[in-house]
Amino acid sequence: MKPADIAHLHSISAPSLAPDGSRAVFTLVRPDLEEDAYLGSLWSVATDGSERPRRLTYGLRDRAPRYSPDGRWIALLRPDEDKRAQIHVLPADGGEAWKITDHPLGAGAFSWSPDSTRLAYTARIPEEGRYVDGTPDKEPPRRITTFKYRIDNLGFLVDRWQQIFVSAPIDPSGEVGEPVQVTDAEADHGRPVWTPDGTELVFDASLHSNRDRDLYQDVWACAPKEGAELRRITRGDLGARSVGLSEDGSTMYFVADELGADGTDFVGRVGGLWSMPLDGSGEPRRLTGTEDPRVSGLGTLVTDRGVLVGVENRGAVELCRVTPEGERVTLLGGRVEVQGFDHAGGVTVAVAAGEHDSGELYVVEDGGARALTSFFEGVEPLPVTELVARAPDGHPVHGWVSTPEGEGPHPVILMIHGGPFAQYGWQLFDETQVYTEAGYAVVYCNPRGSSGYGQEHGRAIIGSVGSLTATDLLAFLDAALEDERLDGSRVGVHGGSHGGFMTTWMAAHHGERFRAAISERAVNAIDSFQGASDIGAFFPEPLYGPPESWPKESPLTYADQIDKPFLIIHSEQDWRCPLEQAQRLFVSLRRRGHEVEMLLFPGEGHELSRSGLPSHRVARFEAVLDWWRSHL
């Protein structure tokens, strides 16, 4: 795999099944280097495997298709002439789609009413005079009075809150009526779900009076009409999201984190599946434990046999079914990363990526899965080897090594993931493939602090992030270097976000182990991160401890100990780890005359390496390879 081969790494959206389960519709998206964009269209396939997938639409950026409950329509998001996503409706048996929303900033997540006549959806509503005339520098000033006023990859929130709307009845003639705005609070409202009888919408939102100072989020319900009175269902002590309802509408299921007494103790918390009566009686009941696999962000889907969820488990993202009694059954597991799923008519389908592809659609059956698509081509993935090392205290450190062909000895890159509560996993990872093809052995693992190994593992680094994480990383590196094909005298360290934090830390505290370093989108100085990051008001103390400990925990404090060549990569519009984090490190190293470079990408946010412009992703790869070519 070469840098430009990211064009072969397609993705498949969460699928939607026809009500009888006979067909699945999904979006196929690919990076396009000529258009410098991600192009996607709708595809359809029979779930019995009787035909090859066929393209359903020829829009360039269609996404998020959903069948109506009666099977007549498929709703989807498609950009309008201003490139803002609007909901369109397409006849399921073929024909032209027509637009049913016309919001100035586009529409978002939606769901069909039980009678298939309307859609409930979210849309951001801008303050008058903002975001619409193409001259943002001439807009009036923003008056900021809250902590939660902006977010990475979107921008400011306080002048465009996400509200819930209900469309006018679907008219096959293409006539579009005015939608009804259901909510109006100064807060973001999550995807609405209809109750089975169509009388209420259920959604998550933070609407309590202290919402600016904690991370609690409740489940709410209201009638699908203007001025409806909202009814809070949960108790204000969880971070709830991803609501699903039982077939009779009596029970709701949702994913939630326990956040401690003040609502900010979120680091390393294993999100679980919960249930509660929809009428608000009784207490929420947790169905999965804190040491069970963490329930992922793929949502909940209630079936007649239990609730389908994705769970993070030792580098995998598995599809599981959880019964109302809390019994968990793995439906699709092993060396996979499930990316979306649906169930209808007794049929379950899932999109899953693995070691050898970037994701295909499967029918999930007892005892296994049957592929419905085979889009992946153009790249021959190199194999990776699973490895478990032991830290000095005996703790197991799980990860992988990707080794180039040939006897070696090969130079080595120690890669460190972000988070820290995240995981490397069983997937075709473009970073690993590009670097290994270029001749580098890539060593990457899930040290303590990572997700997928239980809450105790995730919270182990609180208050000693750099030191304990480094202990696990070095133990894993040493175990990998026992392979004589790897050259322990030519090792580089490379990571992004929390991985960038650890790269700076490792270069300062364990520089003798490395020839050079690359730090991307990093946290380097906790004190300024608190005020500059979109999550800074809540993040530092739960992870790094009280403010008096921040200098000791900040990699920037030890920059004068770095004596190896250092490349800093950052995005100019990164609001998660703001640009000043890179600038402070660059200036500190540069003032000492140290060999340091800073590569800045305009217009990009924190997610550059995963979803930035295809041209920028290729340029980033080329810069990284050039750096390692020079120093390893």
Side-chain angles (χ1 to χ4, degrees), residues 228-245:
E229 182 177 352
L230 274 59
R231 175 172 65 89
R232 189 166 80 176
I233 304 174
T234 52
R235 300 290 189 263
D237 58 356
L238 297 170
R241 58 196 181 277
S242 301
V243 183
L245 302 178

Side-chain angles (χ1 to χ4, degrees), residues 196 245-251:
L245 302 178
S246 63
E247 186 175 358
D248 64 2
S250 64
T251 304

Side-chain angles (χ1 to χ4, degrees), residues 202-235:
V202 184
F203 55 92
D204 56 73
S206 294
L207 303 178
H208 55 289
S209 59
N210 203 43
R211 60 182 177 268
D212 186 46
R213 295 183 175 273
D214 61 47
L215 300 174
Y216 293 136
Q217 187 162 276
D218 281 303
V219 180
W220 298 77
C222 70
K225 63 181 183 180
E226 184 178 2
E229 182 177 352
L230 274 59
R231 175 172 65 89
R232 189 166 80 176
I233 304 174
T234 52
R235 300 290 189 263

Side-chain angles (χ1 to χ4, degrees), residues 4 179 301 308 328 540 543 567 571:
L301 181 62
L308 300 184
R328 189 179 80 252
L543 181 59
L567 174 63
S571 296

Side-chain angles (χ1 to χ4, degrees), residues 11 35-36 85 122 240 266 323 340 349-350 373 426 468 507:
S11 62
E35 294 282 340
D36 203 13
T122 61
F266 69 94
T323 69
V349 294
T373 65
W426 292 106
L468 184 53

Side-chain angles (χ1 to χ4, degrees), residues 68-210:
S68 61
D70 63 7
R72 294 182 60 197
W73 315 106
I74 297 171
L76 65 143
L77 292 175
R78 172 179 289 178
D80 59 18
E81 57 275 9
D82 294 319
K83 299 182 180 180
R84 291 162 175 160
Q86 305 289 354
I87 300 175
H88 290 64
V89 173
L90 173 74
D93 57 1
E96 292 296 321
W98 73 93
K99 185 174 69 171
I100 69 164
T101 64
D102 190 24
H103 290 284
L105 299 183
F110 59 84
S111 63
W112 282 97
S113 62
D115 62 4
S116 301
T117 63
R118 295 177 295 168
L119 288 139
Y121 61 92
T122 61
R124 293 195 176 276
I125 306 304
E127 289 181 354
E128 187 174 353
R130 294 200 190 274
Y131 300 106
V132 293
D133 64 1
T135 57
D137 292 343
K138 295 182 178 180
E139 292 179 2
R142 292 178 173 88
R143 187 179 297 275
I144 306 299
T145 60
T146 65
F147 288 132
K148 301 175 184 177
Y149 66 92
R150 63 176 184 168
I151 191 168
D152 185 67
N153 210 38
L154 174 66
F156 289 98
L157 301 173
V158 293
D159 49 20
R160 47 172 169 174
W161 294 113
Q162 183 166 277
Q163 306 294 349
I164 292 176
F165 290 79
V166 173
S167 73
I170 302 300
D171 185 347
S173 71
E175 290 293 325
V176 180
E178 286 296 316
V180 172
Q181 182 172 339
V182 177
T183 62
D184 59 8
E186 292 185 349
D188 274 358
H189 300 73
R191 173 179 176 264
V193 178
W194 296 80
T195 56
D197 61 7
T199 61
E200 284 191 309
L201 299 173
V202 184
F203 55 92
D204 56 73
S206 294
L207 303 178
H208 55 289
S209 59
N210 203 43

